Amino acid sequence: MALGPKTNQGSMFTAGAGFKFKGGGTSGPSGVRIEHRIGVQAPIETVWDILYDLDRWHEWNPLYPKAEGKIRIGGQLTLTLALEGEKPQVIQPTVLEWVPNDQIHWRLKMMGGLVSTTRFLELEKLDVASTIFSNGELIGGLLGPTAARRLGRKIYRGFEAMSEALKERAEAQWRAAGGAPTSAA
């Protein structure tokens, strides 16, 4: 079941046989995987600082216009999820894992556990001022595939909008600090 557009930016929306956390094997949650990847012409530390600062997500993040909580293992976040064409919804995921300048993973269970999602925000350093941002989710549980079919394209577009906004903010901050792109845009 492949849904969503395929682009050269490495976007992905496919049924997953397993989930690979950075540095891990294929163990972990399974389900429908929705992912958007984008290159950012800014150092990984600049991108991380923006991503980690939940209190300022409202300034740039169209997918989560309100965000509260502390990013720590076992911490609960309170996020307002704004998908195109859907009523904004307050969600309260639990942080599974976070590593500075690398990744944030959280889990959300809905409908009494019939839908379970594992969200991942991951950074990969390519060069001194070049970063890949992977923005995605695994949707599992008994009703996960149904939820993915119903909302998958909207979720993908939300990830894409968030990725583009993060890229724009990080690159602007990097330029304002005197940084220069490492390659032509």
Side-chain angles (χ1 to χ4, degrees):
M1 169 176 73
L3 302 171
K6 292 281 187 185
T7 70
N8 290 336
Q9 292 178 324
S11 59
M12 183 183 302
F13 185 162
T14 58
F19 183 66
K20 294 181 183 178
F21 285 100
K22 278 190 168 182
T26 58
S27 64
S30 62
V32 178
R33 181 182 179 114
I34 303 170
E35 180 178 14
H36 184 266
R37 293 172 49 95
I38 194 166
V40 181
Q41 295 299 314
I44 199 168
E45 296 83 5
T46 300
V47 181
W48 174 259
D49 289 346
I50 295 165
L51 198 57
Y52 185 75
D53 189 0
L54 284 180
D55 293 335
R56 298 185 73 186
W57 275 20
H58 70 277
E59 295 176 5
W60 64 269
N61 194 332
L63 185 59
Y64 302 107
K66 288 178 74 174
E68 298 175 355
K70 299 287 184 212
I71 297 175
R72 66 177 192 270
I73 295 174
Q76 185 170 346
L77 307 177
T78 300
L79 309 171
T80 299
L81 174 65
L83 293 175
E84 175 185 300
E86 300 288 325
K87 180 180 174 189
Q89 176 183 6
V90 175
I91 58 172
Q92 294 188 304
T94 301
V95 176
L96 295 173
E97 181 177 24
W98 73 278
V99 177
N101 299 318
D102 190 49
Q103 62 190 7
I104 302 169
H105 297 160
W106 69 66
R107 173 166 293 141
L108 178 66
K109 293 186 182 244
M110 298 172 286
M111 299 178 65
L114 294 174
V115 176
S116 177
T117 67
T118 302
R119 185 82 165 84
F120 57 95
L121 308 170
E122 297 180 342
L123 302 175
E124 179 182 346
K125 181 177 182 175
L126 295 180
D127 200 350
V128 174
S130 185
T131 304
I132 295 290
F133 174 54
S134 298
N135 182 11
E137 184 167 49
L138 270 166
I139 304 172
L142 187 61
L143 295 179
T146 302
R149 275 192 301 277
R150 183 174 109 53
L151 295 172
R153 294 190 198 299
K154 291 179 182 186
I155 292 169
Y156 177 84
R157 285 193 295 273
F159 292 171
E160 183 177 39
M162 179 181 171
S163 296
E164 292 287 345
L166 178 64
K167 172 186 173 73
E168 182 179 319
R169 188 170 180 98
E171 290 178 354
Q173 272 188 293
W174 176 236
R175 282 191 305 274
T182 57
S183 64

Coordinates of all heavy atoms in Angstrom, one line a residue, residues 87-179:
K87 N -10.3 19.7 12.1 CA -10.4 20.5 13.3 C -9.1 20.3 14.1 O -8.7 19.2 14.3 CB -11.6 20.1 14.1 CG -11.8 20.9 15.4 CD -13.0 20.5 16.1 CE -13.1 21.2 17.4 NZ -14.1 20.7 18.3
P88 N -8.4 21.4 14.6 CA -7.2 21.2 15.4 C -7.6 20.3 16.6 O -8.6 20.4 17.2 CB -6.9 22.7 15.9 CG -7.5 23.5 14.8 CD -8.7 22.8 14.3
Q89 N -6.6 19.5 16.9 CA -6.8 18.5 18.0 C -5.6 18.6 19.0 O -4.5 18.6 18.6 CB -6.9 17.1 17.3 CG -7.0 16.0 18.3 CD -7.0 14.6 17.5 OE1 -6.8 14.5 16.3 NE2 -7.2 13.6 18.2
V90 N -5.9 18.6 20.3 CA -4.9 18.5 21.3 C -4.5 17.1 21.5 O -5.4 16.2 21.7 CB -5.4 19.2 22.6 CG1 -4.3 19.0 23.7 CG2 -5.7 20.7 22.4
I91 N -3.2 16.8 21.4 CA -2.7 15.4 21.7 C -1.7 15.5 22.8 O -1.1 16.5 23.0 CB -2.1 14.8 20.4 CG1 -1.0 15.7 19.8 CG2 -3.2 14.6 19.3 CD1 -0.2 15.0 18.7
Q92 N -1.5 14.4 23.5 CA -0.6 14.3 24.6 C 0.3 13.1 24.5 O 0.1 12.1 25.2 CB -1.3 14.3 25.9 CG -2.0 15.7 26.1 CD -2.6 15.8 27.5 OE1 -3.4 15.0 27.9 NE2 -2.3 16.9 28.2
P93 N 1.3 13.2 23.6 CA 2.2 12.0 23.4 C 3.2 12.0 24.5 O 3.5 12.9 25.2 CB 2.9 12.3 22.1 CG 2.9 13.8 22.0 CD 1.6 14.2 22.6
T94 N 3.9 10.8 24.7 CA 4.9 10.5 25.6 C 6.2 10.4 24.9 O 6.3 9.6 24.0 CB 4.6 9.3 26.5 OG1 3.3 9.4 27.1 CG2 5.7 9.0 27.5
V95 N 7.3 11.1 25.4 CA 8.6 11.0 24.8 C 9.2 9.7 25.1 O 9.3 9.3 26.2 CB 9.5 12.2 25.3 CG1 10.9 12.0 24.7 CG2 8.9 13.5 25.0
L96 N 9.6 9.0 24.0 CA 10.2 7.7 24.1 C 11.7 7.8 24.2 O 12.4 7.1 25.0 CB 9.9 6.8 22.9 CG 8.5 6.4 22.7 CD1 8.4 5.7 21.3 CD2 8.0 5.5 23.8
E97 N 12.3 8.7 23.4 CA 13.7 8.8 23.3 C 14.1 10.2 22.8 O 13.4 10.7 21.9 CB 14.3 7.7 22.4 CG 15.7 7.7 22.2 CD 16.2 6.6 21.3 OE1 15.4 6.1 20.5 OE2 17.4 6.2 21.5
W98 N 15.2 10.7 23.2 CA 15.7 12.0 22.6 C 17.2 12.0 22.8 O 17.7 11.5 23.8 CB 15.1 13.2 23.1 CG 15.5 13.6 24.5 CD1 15.0 13.1 25.7 CD2 16.5 14.6 24.9 NE1 15.6 13.7 26.8 CE2 16.5 14.6 26.3 CE3 17.3 15.4 24.2 CZ2 17.4 15.4 27.0 CZ3 18.2 16.2 24.9 CH2 18.2 16.2 26.3
V99 N 17.9 12.4 21.8 CA 19.4 12.5 21.8 C 19.7 13.9 21.2 O 19.3 14.2 20.1 CB 20.0 11.4 21.0 CG1 21.6 11.6 21.0 CG2 19.7 10.1 21.5
P100 N 20.4 14.8 22.0 CA 20.7 16.1 21.4 C 21.4 16.1 20.1 O 22.2 15.2 19.8 CB 21.6 16.7 22.5 CG 21.2 16.0 23.7 CD 20.9 14.6 23.3
N101 N 21.0 17.0 19.2 CA 21.5 17.1 17.8 C 21.3 15.8 17.0 O 22.0 15.6 16.0 CB 23.0 17.4 17.9 CG 23.3 18.8 18.5 OD1 22.5 19.7 18.3 ND2 24.3 18.8 19.3
D102 N 20.3 15.0 17.4 CA 20.1 13.7 16.7 C 18.7 13.4 16.5 O 18.2 13.2 15.3 CB 20.9 12.6 17.4 CG 20.9 11.3 16.7 OD1 21.3 11.3 15.5 OD2 20.6 10.3 17.3
Q103 N 17.9 13.2 17.6 CA 16.5 12.7 17.4 C 15.6 13.0 18.6 O 16.1 13.1 19.7 CB 16.6 11.2 17.1 CG 17.2 10.4 18.3 CD 17.4 9.0 17.9 OE1 17.3 8.6 16.8 NE2 17.8 8.2 18.9
I104 N 14.3 13.0 18.2 CA 13.3 13.0 19.2 C 12.2 12.0 18.7 O 11.8 12.0 17.6 CB 12.6 14.4 19.4 CG1 13.6 15.5 19.7 CG2 11.4 14.3 20.4 CD1 13.1 16.9 19.6
H105 N 11.8 11.1 19.6 CA 10.8 10.1 19.3 C 9.7 10.2 20.3 O 10.0 10.3 21.5 CB 11.3 8.7 19.3 CG 12.4 8.4 18.3 ND1 13.3 7.4 18.4 CD2 12.7 9.1 17.1 CE1 14.1 7.4 17.3 NE2 13.8 8.4 16.6
W106 N 8.4 10.1 19.9 CA 7.4 10.1 20.9 C 6.3 9.1 20.4 O 6.2 8.8 19.3 CB 6.8 11.4 21.3 CG 6.0 12.2 20.2 CD1 4.8 11.8 19.7 CD2 6.3 13.4 19.6 NE1 4.4 12.8 18.8 CE2 5.3 13.8 18.7 CE3 7.4 14.3 19.7 CZ2 5.3 14.9 18.0 CZ3 7.4 15.5 19.0 CH2 6.4 15.8 18.1
R107 N 5.5 8.7 21.4 CA 4.4 7.7 21.1 C 3.1 8.3 21.6 O 3.0 9.0 22.6 CB 4.6 6.4 21.8 CG 3.4 5.4 21.7 CD 3.7 4.0 22.1 NE 4.6 3.5 21.1 CZ 5.6 2.7 21.5 NH1 5.8 2.3 22.7 NH2 6.5 2.2 20.6
L108 N 2.1 8.0 20.8 CA 0.7 8.4 21.1 C -0.2 7.3 20.9 O -0.2 6.6 19.8 CB 0.3 9.6 20.2 CG -1.1 10.2 20.4 CD1 -1.3 10.8 21.7 CD2 -1.4 11.2 19.3
K109 N -1.1 7.0 21.8 CA -2.1 6.0 21.7 C -3.5 6.7 21.7 O -3.8 7.5 22.5 CB -2.1 5.0 22.8 CG -0.8 4.1 22.8 CD -0.8 3.0 23.8 CE 0.5 2.3 23.7 NZ 0.4 1.0 23.3
M110 N -4.3 6.3 20.7 CA -5.6 6.9 20.5 C -6.7 5.8 20.4 O -6.3 4.6 20.2 CB -5.7 7.8 19.3 CG -4.7 8.9 19.3 SD -4.6 9.8 17.8 CE -3.6 8.6 16.8
M111 N -7.9 6.2 20.7 CA -9.0 5.2 20.5 C -8.8 4.0 21.4 O -9.0 2.8 20.9 CB -9.3 4.9 19.1 CG -9.6 6.1 18.2 SD -9.9 5.7 16.5 CE -11.3 4.6 16.6
G112 N -8.4 4.2 22.6 CA -8.2 3.1 23.5 C -7.1 2.1 23.1 O -7.1 1.0 23.4
G113 N -6.1 2.6 22.4 CA -5.0 1.8 21.9 C -5.2 1.2 20.6 O -4.3 0.5 20.1
L114 N -6.3 1.4 20.0 CA -6.6 0.8 18.6 C -5.8 1.4 17.6 O -5.5 0.9 16.5 CB -8.1 0.8 18.3 CG -9.0 0.0 19.2 CD1 -10.5 0.3 18.9 CD2 -8.7 -1.5 19.1
V115 N -5.3 2.7 17.8 CA -4.4 3.4 16.9 C -3.2 3.8 17.8 O -3.4 4.4 18.8 CB -5.0 4.6 16.3 CG1 -4.0 5.4 15.4 CG2 -6.2 4.2 15.4
S116 N -2.0 3.4 17.4 CA -0.8 3.7 18.1 C 0.2 4.3 17.1 O 0.4 3.7 16.1 CB -0.2 2.5 18.8 OG 1.0 2.8 19.4
T117 N 0.7 5.5 17.5 CA 1.7 6.1 16.6 C 3.0 6.3 17.2 O 3.1 6.5 18.4 CB 1.2 7.5 16.0 OG1 1.1 8.4 17.1 CG2 -0.2 7.4 15.4
T118 N 4.1 6.2 16.5 CA 5.4 6.5 16.9 C 5.9 7.6 16.0 O 6.1 7.3 14.8 CB 6.3 5.2 16.9 OG1 5.8 4.2 17.7 CG2 7.7 5.6 17.4
R119 N 6.2 8.7 16.5 CA 6.6 9.9 15.8 C 8.1 10.1 15.9 O 8.7 9.8 16.9 CB 5.9 11.1 16.4 CG 6.1 12.4 15.7 CD 5.1 12.5 14.5 NE 5.1 13.9 14.0 CZ 6.0 14.4 13.2 NH1 6.9 13.7 12.7 NH2 5.9 15.7 12.9
F120 N 8.7 10.4 14.8 CA 10.2 10.6 14.8 C 10.6 11.9 14.1 O 10.1 12.2 13.1 CB 10.9 9.4 14.2 CG 10.6 9.0 12.8 CD1 11.3 9.5 11.8 CD2 9.5 8.2 12.6 CE1 11.0 9.2 10.5 CE2 9.2 7.8 11.3 CZ 10.0 8.3 10.2
L121 N 11.5 12.6 14.8 CA 12.1 13.8 14.2 C 13.6 13.5 14.3 O 14.1 13.4 15.4 CB 11.7 15.1 15.1 CG 10.2 15.3 15.3 CD1 10.0 16.4 16.3 CD2 9.5 15.6 14.0
E122 N 14.3 13.4 13.2 CA 15.7 13.0 13.2 C 16.5 13.9 12.4 O 16.1 14.3 11.3 CB 15.8 11.5 12.8 CG 15.1 10.5 13.7 CD 15.2 9.1 13.2 OE1 15.5 8.8 12.1 OE2 14.9 8.2 14.1
L123 N 17.7 14.1 12.8 CA 18.7 14.9 12.1 C 19.9 14.1 11.8 O 20.4 13.3 12.5 CB 19.1 16.1 13.0 CG 18.0 17.0 13.5 CD1 18.6 18.1 14.5 CD2 17.3 17.7 12.4
E124 N 20.5 14.4 10.6 CA 21.7 13.7 10.1 C 22.6 14.8 9.6 O 22.3 15.6 8.7 CB 21.4 12.7 9.0 CG 22.6 12.0 8.5 CD 22.2 11.1 7.3 OE1 21.0 10.8 7.1 OE2 23.1 10.7 6.6
K125 N 23.8 14.9 10.2 CA 24.8 15.8 9.7 C 25.5 15.4 8.5 O 26.0 14.3 8.4 CB 25.9 16.0 10.8 CG 26.9 17.0 10.5 CD 27.9 17.2 11.7 CE 29.0 18.2 11.4 NZ 29.8 18.4 12.6
L126 N 25.4 16.2 7.4 CA 26.1 15.9 6.2 C 27.5 16.6 6.1 O 28.4 16.1 5.5 CB 25.2 16.3 5.0 CG 23.9 15.5 4.8 CD1 23.2 16.0 3.6 CD2 24.2 14.0 4.7
D127 N 27.5 17.8 6.6 CA 28.7 18.6 6.5 C 28.6 19.7 7.6 O 27.6 19.7 8.4 CB 28.8 19.3 5.1 CG 30.2 19.8 4.7 OD1 31.1 19.8 5.6 OD2 30.4 20.2 3.6
V128 N 29.6 20.5 7.7 CA 29.6 21.5 8.8 C 28.3 22.3 8.8 O 27.7 22.6 9.9 CB 30.8 22.5 8.6 CG1 30.7 23.6 9.6 CG2 32.1 21.7 8.8
A129 N 27.8 22.7 7.7 CA 26.5 23.5 7.6 C 25.5 22.9 6.6 O 24.9 23.5 5.8 CB 26.9 24.9 7.1
S130 N 25.4 21.6 6.8 CA 24.4 20.8 5.9 C 23.8 19.7 6.7 O 24.5 18.8 7.2 CB 25.1 20.3 4.7 OG 24.2 19.7 3.8
T131 N 22.5 19.7 6.8 CA 21.8 18.7 7.7 C 20.6 18.1 6.9 O 19.9 18.8 6.1 CB 21.2 19.5 8.9 OG1 22.3 20.1 9.6 CG2 20.5 18.5 9.9
I132 N 20.3 16.9 7.1 CA 19.1 16.3 6.6 C 18.1 16.1 7.8 O 18.5 15.7 8.9 CB 19.3 14.8 6.1 CG1 20.2 14.9 4.9 CG2 18.0 14.1 5.8 CD1 19.6 15.5 3.6
F133 N 16.9 16.6 7.6 CA 15.8 16.5 8.6 C 14.8 15.5 8.2 O 14.2 15.6 7.1 CB 15.1 17.8 8.8 CG 13.9 17.8 9.8 CD1 14.0 17.3 11.0 CD2 12.7 18.3 9.3 CE1 12.9 17.2 11.9 CE2 11.6 18.3 10.2 CZ 11.7 17.7 11.5
S134 N 14.6 14.4 8.9 CA 13.6 13.3 8.7 C 12.5 13.6 9.6 O 12.7 13.6 10.8 CB 14.2 12.0 8.9 OG 15.3 11.7 8.0
N135 N 11.3 13.7 9.1 CA 10.1 14.1 9.8 C 9.0 13.0 9.5 O 8.5 13.0 8.4 CB 9.7 15.5 9.4 CG 8.5 16.0 10.0 OD1 8.0 15.5 11.0 ND2 8.0 17.1 9.5
G136 N 8.7 12.1 10.5 CA 7.8 11.1 10.1 C 7.1 10.4 11.3 O 7.3 10.8 12.4
E137 N 6.3 9.4 10.9 CA 5.5 8.7 11.9 C 5.2 7.3 11.4 O 5.0 7.0 10.2 CB 4.2 9.5 12.1 CG 3.3 9.0 13.1 CD 2.2 10.0 13.4 OE1 1.6 10.5 12.5 OE2 2.0 10.3 14.6
L138 N 5.1 6.4 12.3 CA 4.6 5.0 12.1 C 3.2 4.9 12.7 O 3.1 5.2 13.9 CB 5.5 4.0 12.7 CG 6.6 3.5 11.8 CD1 7.6 2.7 12.6 CD2 6.0 2.6 10.7
I139 N 2.3 4.5 11.9 CA 0.9 4.4 12.4 C 0.5 2.9 12.5 O 0.5 2.2 11.5 CB -0.1 5.2 11.5 CG1 0.3 6.6 11.4 CG2 -1.5 5.0 12.1 CD1 -0.4 7.4 10.4
G140 N 0.3 2.4 13.7 CA 0.1 1.0 13.9 C -1.2 0.8 14.7 O -2.0 1.7 15.0
G141 N -1.3 -0.4 15.2 CA -2.5 -0.8 16.0 C -3.6 -1.4 15.1 O -3.4 -1.3 13.9
L142 N -4.6 -1.9 15.7 CA -5.6 -2.6 14.9 C -6.3 -1.7 13.9 O -6.5 -2.1 12.8 CB -6.7 -3.1 15.9 CG -7.8 -4.0 15.3 CD1 -7.2 -5.3 14.7 CD2 -8.8 -4.4 16.3
L143 N -6.5 -0.4 14.2 CA -7.2 0.5 13.3 C -6.2 1.4 12.7 O -6.5 2.4 11.9 CB -8.3 1.3 14.0 CG -9.5 0.5 14.5 CD1 -10.5 1.4 15.2 CD2 -10.1 -0.3 13.3
G144 N -4.9 1.2 12.9 CA -3.8 2.1 12.3 C -3.9 2.2 10.8 O -3.9 3.3 10.2
P145 N -4.0 1.1 10.1 CA -4.0 1.2 8.6 C -5.2 1.9 8.1 O -5.1 2.7 7.1 CB -4.1 -0.3 8.2 CG -3.4 -1.1 9.3 CD -3.8 -0.3 10.5
T146 N -6.4 1.8 8.8 CA -7.6 2.5 8.4 C -7.3 4.0 8.6 O -7.7 4.9 7.8 CB -8.8 2.1 9.2 OG1 -9.0 0.7 9.0 CG2 -10.0 2.8 8.9
A147 N -6.8 4.4 9.8 CA -6.5 5.8 10.1 C -5.5 6.4 9.0 O -5.6 7.5 8.6 CB -5.9 5.9 11.5
A148 N -4.5 5.6 8.7 CA -3.5 6.0 7.7 C -4.1 6.3 6.3 O -3.8 7.2 5.7 CB -2.4 5.0 7.6
R149 N -5.0 5.4 5.9 CA -5.7 5.6 4.6 C -6.5 6.8 4.7 O -6.6 7.6 3.7 CB -6.6 4.4 4.3 CG -5.8 3.2 3.6 CD -6.8 2.2 3.1 NE -7.6 1.6 4.0 CZ -7.3 0.6 4.8 NH1 -6.1 0.1 4.8 NH2 -8.2 0.1 5.7
R150 N -7.2 7.1 5.8 CA -8.1 8.3 5.9 C -7.3 9.6 6.0 O -7.7 10.6 5.3 CB -9.0 8.1 7.1 CG -10.0 9.2 7.2 CD -11.0 9.0 8.3 NE -10.9 9.9 9.5 CZ -10.8 11.2 9.5 NH1 -10.8 11.9 8.4 NH2 -10.8 11.8 10.7
L151 N -6.2 9.6 6.7 CA -5.5 10.9 7.0 C -4.1 10.9 6.4 O -3.5 12.0 6.6 CB -5.5 11.1 8.5 CG -6.8 11.3 9.2 CD1 -6.6 11.3 10.7 CD2 -7.5 12.6 8.7
G152 N -3.7 9.9 5.8 CA -2.3 9.8 5.4 C -1.8 10.9 4.5 O -0.7 11.5 4.8
R153 N -2.5 11.3 3.5 CA -2.1 12.4 2.7 C -2.0 13.7 3.4 O -1.1 14.6 3.2 CB -3.0 12.5 1.4 CG -2.8 11.3 0.5 CD -3.5 11.5 -0.8 NE -3.8 10.3 -1.6 CZ -2.9 9.4 -2.0 NH1 -1.6 9.6 -1.7 NH2 -3.2 8.3 -2.7
K154 N -3.0 14.0 4.3 CA -3.0 15.2 5.1 C -1.8 15.2 6.1 O -1.2 16.2 6.3 CB -4.3 15.3 5.9 CG -5.5 15.6 5.0 CD -6.8 15.7 5.8 CE -8.0 15.9 4.8 NZ -9.2 16.2 5.5
I155 N -1.5 14.0 6.7 CA -0.4 13.9 7.6 C 0.9 14.2 6.8 O 1.8 15.0 7.3 CB -0.3 12.5 8.2 CG1 -1.5 12.4 9.2 CG2 1.0 12.3 9.0 CD1 -1.7 11.0 9.7
Y156 N 1.0 13.6 5.6 CA 2.2 13.9 4.8 C 2.4 15.3 4.5 O 3.5 15.9 4.6 CB 2.2 13.0 3.5 CG 3.4 13.3 2.6 CD1 4.6 12.7 2.8 CD2 3.3 14.3 1.6 CE1 5.7 12.9 2.1 CE2 4.4 14.6 0.9 CZ 5.6 13.9 1.1 OH 6.7 14.2 0.3
R157 N 1.3 16.0 4.1 CA 1.4 17.4 3.8 C 1.7 18.2 5.0 O 2.4 19.2 4.9 CB 0.1 17.9 3.1 CG 0.0 17.4 1.7 CD -1.2 18.1 0.9 NE -2.5 17.8 1.4 CZ -3.2 16.8 1.0 NH1 -2.8 16.0 0.1 NH2 -4.4 16.6 1.5
G158 N 1.3 17.8 6.2 CA 1.6 18.5 7.4 C 3.1 18.3 7.7 O 3.8 19.3 8.1
F159 N 3.6 17.1 7.5 CA 5.1 16.9 7.7 C 5.9 17.8 6.7 O 6.9 18.4 7.1 CB 5.5 15.4 7.5 CG 4.9 14.5 8.6 CD1 5.0 13.2 8.4 CD2 4.3 15.0 9.7 CE1 4.6 12.3 9.4 CE2 3.8 14.1 10.7 CZ 3.9 12.8 10.5
E160 N 5.4 17.8 5.5 CA 6.1 18.6 4.5 C 6.1 20.1 4.9 O 7.2 20.8 4.8 CB 5.4 18.4 3.1 CG 6.1 19.1 2.0 CD 5.3 18.8 0.7 OE1 4.1 18.7 0.6 OE2 6.1 18.6 -0.3
A161 N 5.0 20.6 5.3 CA 4.9 22.0 5.7 C 5.8 22.3 6.9 O 6.5 23.3 7.0 CB 3.5 22.4 6.0
M162 N 5.8 21.4 7.9 CA 6.7 21.5 9.1 C 8.2 21.5 8.6 O 9.0 22.3 9.1 CB 6.4 20.4 10.1 CG 7.3 20.5 11.3 SD 6.9 19.2 12.5 CE 8.2 19.3 13.6
S163 N 8.5 20.6 7.8 CA 9.9 20.5 7.3 C 10.4 21.8 6.6 O 11.5 22.3 6.8 CB 10.1 19.3 6.4 OG 9.8 18.1 7.0
E164 N 9.5 22.3 5.7 CA 9.8 23.5 4.9 C 10.0 24.7 5.9 O 10.9 25.5 5.7 CB 8.8 23.8 3.9 CG 8.7 22.8 2.8 CD 9.9 22.9 1.8 OE1 10.6 23.9 1.8 OE2 10.0 22.0 1.0
A165 N 9.1 24.8 6.9 CA 9.2 25.9 7.8 C 10.4 25.8 8.7 O 11.1 26.8 9.0 CB 7.9 25.9 8.7
L166 N 10.8 24.6 9.1 CA 12.0 24.4 9.9 C 13.3 24.8 9.1 O 14.2 25.5 9.5 CB 12.2 23.0 10.4 CG 13.4 22.6 11.2 CD1 13.5 23.4 12.5 CD2 13.4 21.1 11.5
K167 N 13.3 24.3 7.8 CA 14.4 24.7 6.9 C 14.5 26.2 6.7 O 15.6 26.7 6.9 CB 14.1 24.0 5.5 CG 15.1 24.4 4.4 CD 14.6 23.8 3.1 CE 15.4 24.3 1.9 NZ 16.8 23.8 1.8
E168 N 13.4 26.8 6.5 CA 13.4 28.3 6.3 C 13.9 29.0 7.5 O 14.8 29.9 7.4 CB 12.0 28.8 5.9 CG 11.9 30.3 5.7 CD 10.5 30.7 5.3 OE1 9.8 29.9 4.6 OE2 10.1 31.7 5.8
R169 N 13.5 28.6 8.7 CA 13.9 29.3 9.9 C 15.4 29.0 10.2 O 16.1 29.9 10.6 CB 13.0 28.8 11.1 CG 13.3 29.6 12.4 CD 12.2 29.2 13.4 NE 12.3 29.9 14.6 CZ 11.7 31.0 15.0 NH1 10.8 31.6 14.1 NH2 11.8 31.6 16.1
A170 N 15.8 27.8 10.1 CA 17.2 27.4 10.4 C 18.2 28.1 9.4 O 19.2 28.7 9.8 CB 17.4 25.9 10.3
E171 N 17.8 28.1 8.1 CA 18.7 28.8 7.2 C 18.7 30.3 7.4 O 19.8 30.9 7.3 CB 18.3 28.4 5.7 CG 18.6 27.0 5.4 CD 18.1 26.5 4.0 OE1 17.4 27.3 3.3 OE2 18.4 25.4 3.6
A172 N 17.6 30.9 7.7 CA 17.6 32.3 8.0 C 18.4 32.7 9.3 O 19.2 33.6 9.3 CB 16.2 32.8 8.2
Q173 N 18.3 31.8 10.3 CA 19.1 32.0 11.5 C 20.6 31.9 11.2 O 21.4 32.7 11.7 CB 18.7 31.0 12.6 CG 17.6 31.5 13.5 CD 17.4 30.6 14.6 OE1 17.0 29.5 14.5 NE2 17.6 31.1 15.8
W174 N 21.0 30.9 10.4 CA 22.3 30.6 10.0 C 22.9 31.8 9.2 O 24.0 32.3 9.5 CB 22.4 29.3 9.3 CG 23.8 29.0 8.7 CD1 24.1 28.7 7.4 CD2 25.0 28.8 9.5 NE1 25.4 28.4 7.3 CE2 26.0 28.4 8.6 CE3 25.3 28.9 10.8 CZ2 27.3 28.2 8.9 CZ3 26.7 28.7 11.2 CH2 27.6 28.3 10.2
R175 N 22.1 32.3 8.3 CA 22.6 33.5 7.5 C 22.7 34.7 8.4 O 23.7 35.5 8.3 CB 21.6 33.8 6.4 CG 21.8 32.9 5.2 CD 21.0 33.4 4.0 NE 19.6 33.6 4.2 CZ 18.6 32.6 4.2 NH1 18.9 31.4 3.8 NH2 17.4 32.9 4.5
A176 N 21.8 34.9 9.3 CA 21.8 36.1 10.2 C 23.0 36.0 11.1 O 23.6 37.1 11.5 CB 20.5 36.2 11.0
A177 N 23.5 34.8 11.4 CA 24.7 34.7 12.3 C 26.0 34.7 11.5 O 27.1 34.5 12.0 CB 24.6 33.3 13.0
G178 N 25.9 35.0 10.2 CA 27.0 35.2 9.3 C 27.4 33.9 8.6 O 28.5 33.9 7.9
G179 N 26.6 32.9 8.7 CA 26.9 31.7 7.9 C 26.5 31.8 6.5 O 25.8 32.7 6.1

